[in-house]
Each structure stands twice: as C-alpha cells, then as structure tokens.
C-alpha cells in the first residue's frame, strides 16, 4: 500500500466538534475501503493567505494515510462533495514523519520564543537606557 498525507481546510464558522466529525468521516471512508489512518492532526483555526469562498480563516486537519490509490480517489470524491470543506490536497509521500508534524512543532517553537522574550525584560527604547 502507498503512503499519503491528506490535508483539508474546513470553513471558519464550524465548531471544533464539527471539524472533528469531518475528520472521523474521512477516517471511516478510508477504513471502510481497507485503508488505514496512521495519524490525525488538527492544526486549528488559522488565517488564509487569501480569501477562499468569503473565508479569511479555516480549520486545518491533516491525515496520514496508508492505503491504495483507489481509496484516496474515493476520499477525494467524498471531500469534493462536502460543502464544509473549502480546499483539500493529497500528496503521496515516501515515509510518514515520526512524532508531530512541522506545523505542530512550529506552534511549540513560537510559544518557546515568546517565553524567552518575556525573560529579557522590557524591550528598552531611546530614553537613555
């Protein structure tokens, strides 16, 4: 079986429970067709680079999939029909990442940097400091 990463963007006005339900529906489609979801990551509500269908933000979800190509075709067909999904992309990969993805590590790194800035004290200005 081949390895894939499937990322979809859900509308900004959905509740987190509805986004989780979309991820579960995608997982069910994959597992019903003899595929396997290795990992599911919810990256949260993030700003878009440009407006898509009047949305400035979207809920990002990534699924790491181990399945044949026919399963991916069915998943994309079902995703295309769903009105709550505004964009999706499936990419074939050589191997899945161990641990959290780059997007999840980016959030941790940003939190660490903000803590470091807090330890530096006030930024100082041009008032003779």
């Amino acid at each position: 079986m081949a390895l894939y990463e499937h990322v979809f963007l859900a509308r900004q006005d959905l509740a987190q429970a509805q986004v989780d339900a979309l991820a579960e529906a995608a997982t069910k489609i994959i597992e019903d067709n003899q595929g396997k979801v290795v990992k599911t990551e919810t990256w949260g509500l993030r700003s878009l680079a440009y407006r898509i269908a009047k949305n400035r933000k979207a809920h990002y979800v990534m699924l790491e999939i181990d399945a044949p190509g026919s399963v991916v075709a069915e998943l994309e067909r079902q995703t295309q029909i769903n009105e709550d999904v505004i964009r999706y992309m499936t990419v074939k990969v050589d191997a899945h990442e161990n641990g959290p993805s780059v997007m999840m590590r980016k959030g941790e790194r940003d939190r660490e940097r903000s803590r470091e800035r807090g330890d530096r004290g006030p930024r100082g200005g041009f008032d003779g400091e």
Side-chain angles (χ1 to χ4, degrees):
M1 287 201 253
L3 303 176
Y4 297 92
E5 288 183 357
H6 177 76
V7 179
F8 67 88
L9 281 61
R11 289 189 341 223
Q12 65 186 359
D13 58 341
L14 296 179
Q16 187 60 45
Q18 292 171 304
V19 175
D20 293 340
L22 286 173
E24 288 174 19
T27 301
K28 185 177 183 325
I29 292 168
I30 294 163
E31 290 175 350
D32 287 349
N33 292 300
Q34 288 75 41
K36 184 172 78 170
V37 175
V38 178
K39 179 170 55 172
T40 303
E41 285 185 358
T42 303
W43 296 339
L45 185 65
R46 303 177 59 87
S47 295
L48 298 171
Y50 54 90
R51 290 174 66 177
I52 302 172
K54 298 183 181 178
N55 291 290
R56 292 186 181 277
K57 294 184 175 198
H59 294 274
Y60 285 65
V61 179
M62 183 190 71
L63 304 171
E64 289 186 352
I65 303 167
D66 185 5
S70 60
V71 175
V72 174
E74 176 62 17
L75 174 63
E76 287 184 344
R77 187 184 76 77
Q78 293 284 337
T79 303
Q80 203 168 18
I81 293 170
N82 195 327
E83 294 177 354
D84 292 333
V85 177
I86 57 176
R87 285 284 192 277
Y88 67 91
M89 182 170 64
T90 307
V91 179
K92 187 174 183 179
V93 294
D94 294 329
H96 291 302
E97 287 186 48
N98 293 328
S101 67
V102 173
M103 293 297 287
M104 297 298 281
R105 290 192 305 254
K106 180 180 181 287
E108 293 171 10
R109 186 177 64 230
D110 291 344
R111 283 191 292 275
E112 288 175 13
R113 285 183 181 163
S114 66
R115 273 189 245 126
E116 289 173 5
R117 271 192 219 114
D119 294 341
R120 285 191 286 184
R123 289 215 164 195
F126 295 102
D127 59 340
E129 290 182 2

